Amino acid sequence: MRRFFTPGWIGLHATAVVLFAAFLGFGWWQFARAEAGNDRSWAYTFEWPIFAIFVVVMWVKMIRDELTGEESIPRGPEVIEEPAERAVTREIIKRQETEDPELAAYNRYLARLNTQTGRRD
């Protein structure tokens, strides 16, 4: 439990408490405005406490992730293999030539357009 008393975690705890209190205070303020006759404030009266609940949920999630050792950002594979695009493309074109020559001609046309310079993306 000592890991939750490091300066970084104390800052997160303080931020969570301040946000929670501020969001509940904003909700109370909007409730007072709604009772005074501002109809739009009724929506905000319910919105701000939802934000406060979200702060608590995220705070609990961060603590649980720290206890279980899970990382918040999933890591991908260490080595990213590049696909053999040209070989695969050639194989697809060969297959299309035998199946549908018009489709293969159209795909070659699109590939040529794709390789031309001066494109606007």
Side-chain angles (χ1 to χ4, degrees), residues 55-72:
V55 168
V56 171
V57 167
M58 292 309 296
W59 179 72
V60 168
K61 181 185 178 340
M62 288 186 338
I63 289 176
R64 290 182 73 196
D65 287 349
E66 180 70 21
L67 288 174
T68 59
E70 294 179 14
E71 295 182 15
S72 60

Side-chain angles (χ1 to χ4, degrees), residues 63-120:
I63 289 176
R64 290 182 73 196
D65 287 349
E66 180 70 21
L67 288 174
T68 59
E70 294 179 14
E71 295 182 15
S72 60
I73 301 173
R75 297 207 180 244
E78 294 296 323
V79 177
I80 299 175
E81 296 180 16
E82 294 294 327
E85 291 182 23
R86 292 190 190 274
V88 171
T89 305
R90 274 190 250 120
E91 183 60 36
I92 291 172
I93 291 173
K94 282 181 192 177
R95 189 175 337 126
Q96 288 175 352
E97 286 282 345
T98 59
E99 294 174 5
D100 189 358
E102 288 183 28
L103 180 62
Y106 182 68
N107 284 335
R108 282 193 305 274
Y109 169 71
L110 291 178
R112 189 185 66 215
L113 288 177
N114 192 30
T115 59
Q116 288 179 348
T117 58
R119 292 183 322 170
R120 291 186 197 184

